[in-house]
Amino acid sequence: ERGLTDRVLFTGMAAPERVADCYKAGDVFVSASRSETQGLTYLEAMASGLPLLCREDDCLKGVLSPGENGFSYTTEAGFSAAVRALQSAALRRRLGTAAEARFSEAGFARAALAVYESCLAGAMGARAA
């Protein structure tokens, strides 16, 4: 009806071994969910280098940084504005790169290592005191 068949593909449920390929085939991860219990799809999408375009949701606090790794919306006008902005391939690349840097395996490993190093530094400082 809307003439989007050359740009939007509704695949239905993907087999687990195909999920990563599905993310990699996309340009943007879009969610209209009003509440998520785990939000793993957001993390998987960003780990695959996709920027987010999601309905504003408390579960995304600390995950989605608007303008950094995607956009959130609360109204149809906000959604439309974000879609227009995401027409820019350069912007999608910048947001996707930031998302992947933080949520990929390597990004997770860097963050976990930083926590361990901080704990060790704190323990070493406590022993010196």
Side-chain angles (χ1 to χ4, degrees), residues 12-121:
M13 185 162 178
E17 62 274 7
R18 291 197 56 237
V19 170
D21 293 332
C22 290
Y23 285 120
K24 290 291 185 183
D27 295 314
V28 177
F29 180 81
V30 180
S31 176
S33 177
R34 292 186 182 270
S35 67
E36 287 291 330
T37 56
Q38 295 179 328
L40 294 177
T41 56
Y42 302 120
L43 302 177
E44 291 171 339
M46 288 190 293
S48 297
L50 293 179
L52 300 182
L53 174 54
C54 301
R55 179 181 294 277
E56 191 171 298
D57 190 319
D58 284 345
C59 79
L60 292 171
K61 287 188 169 132
V63 174
L64 173 59
S65 300
E68 182 181 321
N69 59 7
F71 296 104
S72 64
Y73 65 90
T74 56
T75 65
E76 186 176 334
F79 177 82
S80 295
V83 167
R84 283 191 299 280
L86 289 165
Q87 295 297 308
S88 166
L91 177 61
R92 288 194 312 271
R93 270 192 306 277
R94 181 176 66 75
L95 297 173
T97 297
E100 187 173 13
R102 183 168 170 212
F103 291 100
S104 67
E105 289 178 30
F108 177 81
R110 279 191 302 275
L113 181 60
V115 169
Y116 285 116
E117 288 174 341
S118 174
C119 290
L120 287 172

